[in-house]
Amino acid sequence: QRAQIRPASSHPSIAEVEGALTARRVARLGSAGAAQPEDEAALSAALTRTEHELTALRKAAPIGRLVDHLALRPLEVEVLVIAMAPHVDGALAEIFSVLRGPGGGRRGVDLTLVAQLCRLKRADRVALLDAVDPDRPLVRWQLIEVLSAEALESFGSLTHRAIRPSFDVLSGLCGRGQLAPELSRCVTILQGTATLDDLELEERQREEISTLCQAMRAHAEQPRAVRPPWLLLWGATGVGKKTVAAKLAAYAGRPLVVFNPAVLDRGTFDDLFRRAEREAIIRGAVLYVGPLVPELLAEGGRELLRRLFDYQGPLVMGVDTMEPPRLKAQHPVQELGLRIPPEPVPARLWGSV
């Protein structure tokens, strides 16, 4: 089995791969640095030190947050990283092509290539099939796109179906802050500050918002497995629901991804709503959905809740209404009405202009 997965040392592909890696190393380090032999003990110590330093950095990086929020398994992380690799570094595409070998009808990255690179045994190769399970996060949240089961390669083996990352995931995990053009129509990203001192509020309203802010901060320190209650902010149009939501997200140490369903038509709503949820997951953000249109609130919010059934992240909903809406949700929902401030508050605002 090992002979089938790993080519023999005399195989021409080994020399070709080693030559490509040597050329890349010489280009980065220079011929003088590449010519010096490396001390194995020193190299091992350097790798251990670097691995220790990278642990905290991985958790703070976009892919670390993604793994944490979606509870990805180690093999699923390997599939995602290897699928991304040739798109980030084009030279790896040539190396992967050499490893696949000539013929066979295989294209791009597939599970067989992942098993070959990771030198997986039979049990791990079977577990690797979870990566293309429609009920697992990689496919369910469209982090990767898998070649159709009706394609020619799929009839040879399920592990020969080509895999590639979606463009939104590739952009987000590489640290790009821009949104896709389609998403920018209905999604914005806000970064609030964790203080209420810059808001003019009546005292009772300030206490209510402060209580929620402290609850968001406390929940951010708990394990990810504990899901926070959904927050429902309601009040008159322009009363400051998005501003308060940005403050709540800041107290949790997160940005706010704002999704506005009112600007979309029925044909594009489901796809862009799903992509907005995924964007919040990739960025480790709080998702704000609002203002909620009447169609989403009908029958106890059935249409809205149907689209949120598997969303695990923190969520804030905003409704432009003078009375609290009624949602028939199985998940806990905490409501907060934002009232129009009394006369002294607008007077102070005008005085500060």
Side-chain angles (χ1 to χ4, degrees):
Q1 294 175 357
R2 179 174 296 180
Q4 294 175 356
I5 297 176
R6 187 178 183 184
S9 58
S10 59
H11 195 278
S13 64
I14 296 295
E16 189 171 349
V17 170
E18 289 179 349
L21 293 176
T22 301
R24 288 176 55 79
R25 184 179 170 202
V26 169
R28 289 180 178 176
L29 302 179
S31 57
Q36 297 177 357
E38 295 175 331
D39 180 72
E40 186 173 348
L43 180 59
S44 178
L47 289 175
T48 302
R49 183 173 62 254
T50 303
E51 189 71 23
H52 178 73
E53 295 173 352
L54 285 177
T55 301
L57 295 176
R58 282 197 188 106
K59 292 183 178 180
I63 193 168
R65 295 195 300 266
L66 185 68
V67 172
D68 191 20
H69 295 154
L70 293 180
L72 295 180
R73 298 167 181 168
L75 286 178
E76 291 175 326
V77 179
E78 293 290 346
V79 170
L80 181 60
V81 171
I82 294 174
M84 287 180 55
H87 300 278
V88 176
D89 192 339
L92 291 175
E94 300 177 8
I95 295 177
F96 287 177
S97 178
V98 172
L99 292 175
R100 282 195 304 271
R106 294 165 54 197
R107 295 176 293 176
V109 174
D110 55 23
L111 295 185
T112 299
L113 178 63
V114 175
Q116 182 177 355
L117 291 172
C118 299
R119 300 181 183 178
L120 300 181
K121 297 181 179 179
R122 182 182 297 275
D124 290 331
R125 279 183 281 162
V126 173
L128 193 62
L129 295 175
D130 289 343
V132 294
D133 185 345
D135 294 328
R136 291 294 301 162
L138 288 183
V139 177
R140 189 177 74 215
W141 287 104
Q142 299 177 354
L143 302 180
I144 60 173
E145 300 172 6
V146 185
L147 192 68
S148 170
E150 302 301 322
L152 183 62
E153 294 90 334
S154 303
F155 287 93
S157 172
L158 182 62
T159 61
H160 289 171
R161 296 171 64 185
I163 299 170
R164 69 179 180 185
S166 62
F167 290 110
D168 288 348
V169 172
L170 192 62
S171 177
L173 294 186
C174 289
R176 297 181 62 188
Q178 303 96 323
L179 292 169
E182 314 92 271
L183 275 180
S184 60
R185 294 171 43 218
C186 56
V187 174
T188 54
I189 300 174
L190 302 179
Q191 185 69 58
T193 55
T195 178
L196 300 180
D197 295 339
D198 54 352
L199 299 182
E200 290 288 348
L201 301 166
E202 62 169 330
E203 194 58 34
R204 181 183 173 188
Q205 187 85 87
R206 182 181 296 275
E207 293 177 359
E208 294 172 343
I209 297 175
S210 178
T211 300
L212 284 182
C213 289
Q214 297 305 323
M216 291 289 287
R217 173 175 287 173
H219 184 271
E221 300 172 355
Q222 296 179 0
R224 297 290 184 187
V226 180
R227 294 181 63 187
W230 293 342
L231 301 180
L232 177 62
L233 304 179
W234 59 273
T237 302
V239 78
K241 292 181 283 295
K242 279 192 292 188
T243 301
V244 172
K247 294 292 185 181
L248 293 171
Y251 272 86
R254 300 169 180 259
L256 183 73
V257 170
V258 179
F259 174 72
N260 183 2
V263 300
L264 300 176
D265 54 49
R266 188 179 296 272
T268 60
F269 179 82
D270 284 336
D271 177 61
L272 291 177
F273 193 6
R274 195 66 169 173
R275 291 178 64 180
E277 291 178 307
R278 184 179 64 190
E279 196 70 31
I281 291 173
I282 294 174
R283 297 176 183 271
V286 174
L287 177 62
Y288 176 86
V289 182
L292 296 179
V293 295
E295 291 82 357
L296 294 176
L297 294 172
E299 300 183 27
R302 185 182 66 176
E303 290 299 315
L304 173 66
L305 299 175
R306 179 175 64 83
R307 295 172 171 88
L308 291 170
F309 78 99
D310 61 347
Y311 185 72
Q312 302 290 324
L315 173 70
V316 182
M317 296 170 283
V319 186
D320 293 340
T321 180
M322 298 303 293
E323 296 183 357
R326 293 290 178 259
L327 296 180
K328 299 178 181 178
Q330 296 181 352
H331 190 76
V333 179
Q334 189 169 356
E335 299 179 359
L336 175 63
L338 300 181
R339 299 176 290 275
I340 298 176
E343 187 61 32
V345 173
R348 289 198 300 269
L349 288 175
W350 280 109
S352 62
V353 175

